[in-house]
Amino acid sequence: MTASSPSVSPAPGAPDQLGAHDQPGASTAAGASHRAGVAASRRFTRVATPLGEMILVSDGVAGGQALCGAYFTGQRHQPTSDQLGAECDAGTDPFLQAAADQLGEYFAGTRREFDLPVAARGTDFEQRVWALLRRVGFGTTTSYGQLAEQLGNRHLAQGVGQAVGHNPVSIVVPCHRVLGADGRLTGYAGGVERKQALLSLEQSALGTRLF
C-alpha cells in the first residue's frame, strides 16, 4: 500500500543520510550525541493545529535551514527545552513560517506533499526507516512488517516500530501512516486518536474511507 512519492528531501549537509548499520539499536556515538547535544543554530515556534499545538524546530545546515522537529504538545520522545534552541514568532523566520503555512495547508486538505528540507537526527537504522516512511504516499498506509521486509528482514519489525516511534518530524515524515499487521492503529507518539484523525483527514481528501 506504499506509494513511491517522497514528500520531503534531506537538506544538503543534513545528518539524515542513510548509514551502513542494518540492525535496530546499532546506535553510533555520533547518533547519540546528535540527540543529546544542544544545537546553537536551532530555532523553534509554536503553531496551532486542529489536533492541538505543535512545535516546529529548524536547524541550520549547509545551504540554509531545515526542519529537524515537528512535535505535538505532550508527544512522547520530545527533546528537552534546552535542545529546542531559541523560541521565535514564525512571522520573524521565513523558513519556520513556510513550514507553518504548509502544515496549515495540509490540515485544510489542500496539500498532500511537503516541500521542506528535513534534517532529522538519529541512528543509521532510524534513518533507513524514516527514509522508507517518506515513500508512503498521502492517504495510503503500510505496516511495520512491510517496512521490515523492505529492509530485508521481517524480523526487524519490532525495531522498525521503535524507530517509527522516535521519528522527530511528525506529519512531514508520515509515521502516522504505519499500522499493525492486522490493520489496527497501534502506537503513535502523538496519541492514537491523533493518528486516526490524520488518516481520516487524508482519506477524506481523497474521497476514500478506511476507518
Side-chain angles (χ1 to χ4, degrees):
M1 301 177 67
T2 59
S4 297
S5 55
S7 58
V8 291
S9 59
D16 66 336
Q17 306 303 311
L18 300 187
H21 299 294
D22 292 333
Q23 296 298 323
S27 175
T28 64
S33 65
H34 283 329
R35 279 199 292 266
V38 177
S41 58
R42 287 189 178 185
R43 290 162 62 88
F44 75 95
T45 193
R46 301 177 189 275
V47 178
T49 81
L51 299 182
E53 184 180 76
M54 292 189 71
I55 295 174
L56 303 181
V57 190
S58 71
D59 200 356
V61 296
Q65 287 177 278
L67 193 67
C68 66
Y71 307 94
F72 285 104
T73 298
Q75 180 174 322
R76 297 193 304 272
H77 312 307
Q78 286 194 50
T80 58
S81 58
D82 62 344
Q83 293 174 310
L84 293 175
E87 183 170 6
C88 68
D89 185 280
T92 67
D93 186 302
F95 178 81
L96 287 175
Q97 184 64 64
D101 289 346
Q102 290 190 28
L103 194 64
E105 293 163 0
Y106 168 84
F107 277 109
T110 60
R111 175 173 289 275
R112 300 183 181 183
E113 295 183 3
F114 290 88
D115 182 22
L116 296 166
V118 170
R121 298 176 183 269
T123 66
D124 290 339
F125 182 78
E126 287 172 336
Q127 300 297 344
R128 291 171 63 84
V129 174
W130 299 340
L132 292 177
L133 291 180
R134 298 183 192 121
R135 302 176 187 173
V136 185
F138 183 95
T140 68
T141 60
T142 188
S143 71
Y144 302 101
Q146 287 174 317
L147 292 174
E149 286 182 340
Q150 291 179 58
L151 292 173
N153 185 347
R154 188 173 181 84
H155 297 294
L156 294 175
Q158 183 175 359
V160 166
Q162 294 172 351
V164 170
H166 282 87
N167 167 37
V169 191
S170 298
I171 301 180
V172 178
V173 177
C175 53
H176 62 278
R177 297 174 188 159
V178 186
L179 307 179
D182 56 1
R184 287 188 302 168
L185 298 175
T186 56
Y188 184 60
V192 173
E193 296 81 4
R194 286 190 177 118
K195 183 173 188 172
Q196 181 165 358
L198 292 170
L199 292 172
S200 295
L201 180 155
E202 295 180 3
Q203 291 154 9
S204 177
L206 293 176
T208 60
R209 184 177 179 84
L210 295 178
F211 301 98

